[in-house]
Amino acid sequence: MVTINENYLKLKAGYLFPEIARRVNAFAEANPSAAIIKLGIGDVTEPLPQACRDAMTQAIQDMGQRETFKGYGPEQGYLWLREKIAQHDFQSRGCKIDASEIFVSDGSKCDCGNILDILGDDNSIAATDPVYPVYVDTNVMAGHTGEADDSGKYGGLTYLPISADNDFTAQIPSEKVDIIYLCFPNNPTGAVATKENLQAWVDYAKENGSLILFDAAYEAFITDPAIPHSIYEIEGARDCAIEFRSFSKNAGFTGTRCALTVVPKSLTVKASNGEEVQLWTLWNRRQCTKFNGVSYIVQRGAEAVYSAEGQAQIKALIAFYLENAQIIRDRLSAAGLKVYGGTNAPYVWVKTPESFSSWDFFDKLLQAANVVGTPGSGFGAAGEGYFRISAFNSRANVEEAMARVTANLKL
Ligand SMILES: *Cc1c(COP(=O)(O)O)cnc(C)c1O
């Protein structure tokens, strides 16, 4: 008899984005003339940089000639791409990361889930609340949690609440946890971590033999020069942290698919037989067995991000989204709302007005302004009373959405 992975049945059925879609569709059906503007899901809207398109067009030509045709590439990614990543994203910032420690993949979301393949099932796990749901749900699927309670919290996980009360900086746990998920700049709150804060996490991890899973998908949005872009800017991180990066948000690759995971060779974990095992070896083995690499064409597109034109174009793209975020911050503040994030991240995290729950505020914006955002409570119980507005949209849509929200929001 076939059995299933029953852990999937523990997942909260009403996942955030389907519920948003359900409410938006119901509203659109009842109000067919409403021009709904979506500032909800974290997907980019602006076209791929020209340098990336040119490189991919050239790569397609390469595939059309016997001499330059490429079959399977290295499972870890082409060395020419890994070297550029190591140099531009890490070595230039003083991080001792070698090209051989970079694994190119088709997405950070996949890597964040797949990393559990090489880790044991008995680790204690901490994640912030609110959180990027992938970290929690992949652990639920792997059987690392109990059932969810009424607030959506799964048994067995350590939740680290983040809110305005603690400046969106999670308190370091007093007990020992084995695996800690950190995401900076943060989705959904738009918060960043200072060097001191990250140093405290690395010190904690080294003291407790913990592993930090650091998601830096939004590092390109950091404008404050004092804020670290990589966990490896922190002393000791090579011994306790894996970092996830993606071309999705800096270069608009959400539909093109290219990302990378850094596993330092100095990162070891003691096996039950007492042997110190490199996580690099396990991840390399995992990728070689279960993954066949990212397409040559896409890797050439990603490589172009590091050319002079590519760098200029992605800087302009990021600046454009950050200007959107500034417009959102300014308009909502002027309307009397308290806003967070949006200066080093493409998300503005809004405190909902008194007496509005996250979902009440969602319904209010949808009905009164025909604007869609994301209820903070969908990212975790401690996100209740907050609302995420994404800066990923055209300037015209952002301006129009903010004009409607401020005109219709009677506080
Ligand atoms: C968008 C995003 C990613 C990137 O995921 P990809 O699979 O590379 O597109 C990773 N982490 C967070 C928190 C994100 O919001």
Side-chain angles (χ1 to χ4, degrees):
M1 198 184 84
V2 176
T3 62
I4 57 163
N5 179 350
E6 304 256 338
N7 295 313
Y8 278 64
L9 307 182
K10 293 180 196 162
L11 292 164
K12 292 289 278 181
Y15 180 65
L16 177 61
F17 292 106
E19 176 59 18
I20 291 174
R22 194 187 66 73
R23 292 192 192 203
V24 172
N25 291 340
F27 178 80
E29 243 166 67
N31 303 275
S33 63
I36 296 170
I37 299 176
K38 293 185 181 171
L39 300 175
I41 296 181
D43 194 1
V44 298
T45 54
E46 302 310 296
L48 272 184
Q50 183 71 48
C52 301
R53 281 181 282 145
D54 289 346
M56 287 193 278
T57 305
Q58 177 57 50
I60 290 171
Q61 297 309 317
D62 294 349
M63 294 300 258
Q65 307 286 330
R66 174 174 290 276
E67 297 71 35
T68 47
F69 169 79
K70 299 281 186 292
Y72 289 123
E75 289 91 346
Q76 302 85 352
Y78 285 101
L79 200 55
W80 36 259
L81 176 57
R82 299 165 82 199
E83 275 171 350
K84 291 214 168 66
I85 294 168
Q87 198 185 322
H88 285 83
D89 289 340
F90 297 100
Q91 292 160 11
S92 74
R93 305 195 66 84
C95 308
K96 291 189 186 67
I97 295 296
D98 186 73
S100 65
E101 298 173 314
I102 288 163
F103 293 84
V104 175
S105 79
D106 60 349
S108 261
K109 181 173 163 179
C110 340
D111 287 353
C112 284
N114 291 338
I115 200 73
L116 296 180
D117 265 17
I118 65 164
L119 300 168
D121 288 325
D122 41 9
N123 290 307
S124 53
I125 290 154
T128 61
D129 176 9
V131 71
Y132 179 53
V134 175
Y135 315 144
V136 171
D137 288 1
T138 53
N139 276 290
V140 175
M141 291 170 175
H144 298 167
T145 73
E147 300 286 339
D149 67 14
D150 291 339
S151 73
K153 285 188 178 174
Y154 293 95
L157 283 190
T158 299
Y159 287 91
L160 309 171
I162 49 173
S163 69
D165 298 338
N166 58 11
D167 276 332
F168 303 96
T169 306
Q171 169 127 38
I172 293 193
S174 45
E175 73 278 26
K176 177 171 139 36
V177 287
D178 299 311
I179 295 173
I180 301 136
Y181 288 88
L182 294 178
C183 174
F184 290 112
N186 188 255
N187 180 6
T189 66
V192 287
T194 62
K195 199 159 187 183
E196 294 69 36
N197 181 242
L198 292 182
Q199 187 68 62
W201 278 111
V202 167
D203 292 347
Y204 170 89
K206 292 198 65 165
E207 214 170 285
N208 292 282
S210 318
L211 172 66
I212 295 173
L213 298 177
F214 190 78
D215 186 342
Y218 296 97
E219 63 77 30
F221 290 83
I222 293 172
T223 53
D224 180 345
I227 298 295
H229 288 236
S230 167
I231 190 78
Y232 304 115
E233 289 177 51
I234 308 303
E235 176 92 48
R238 275 188 58 89
D239 303 327
C240 65
I242 288 175
E243 181 164 310
F244 302 98
R245 290 230 184 165
S246 175
F247 294 95
S248 284
K249 312 295 164 40
N250 66 344
F253 272 48
T254 54
T256 306
R257 313 304 305 142
C258 198
L260 58 118
T261 290
V262 186
V263 187
K265 288 183 173 163
S266 49
L267 174 52
T268 62
V269 173
K270 208 189 277 294
S272 56
N273 66 5
E275 187 191 339
E276 287 286 342
V277 177
Q278 265 186 337
L279 289 185
W280 184 93
T281 309
L282 301 190
W283 184 247
N284 188 51
R285 183 59 204 254
R286 192 254 170 224
Q287 292 298 82
C288 289
T289 301
K290 294 196 181 183
F291 186 57
N292 248 337
V294 177
S295 105
Y296 168 71
I297 299 162
V298 168
Q299 291 191 67
R300 282 293 186 202
E303 183 192 27
V305 163
Y306 300 101
S307 68
E309 308 78 57
Q311 286 290 297
Q313 289 160 11
I314 70 162
K315 281 202 175 80
L317 197 54
I318 291 157
F320 171 79
Y321 288 130
L322 283 172
E323 282 160 23
N324 281 350
Q326 190 60 47
I327 292 168
I328 295 166
R329 281 180 59 93
D330 290 348
R331 302 290 155 79
L332 296 182
S333 306
L337 288 166
K338 193 95 187 91
V339 297
Y340 303 93
T343 52
N344 293 289
Y347 299 117
V348 179
W349 189 242
V350 184
K351 182 84 191 80
T352 60
E354 291 279 324
S355 82
F356 277 87
S357 72
S358 295
W359 277 109
D360 289 344
F361 196 63
F362 174 89
D363 289 332
K364 167 90 179 162
L365 287 197
L366 177 60
Q367 280 151 25
N370 308 157
V371 170
V372 180
T374 314
S377 57
F379 297 101
E384 181 55 85
Y386 291 92
F387 196 75
R388 189 188 77 175
I389 297 188
S390 158
F392 291 129
N393 218 311
S394 66
R395 181 60 45 80
N397 276 349
V398 167
E399 296 272 15
E400 169 68 14
M402 289 305 110
R404 285 195 217 153
V405 169
T406 48
N408 289 285
L409 204 64
K410 297 282 173 282
L411 300 177

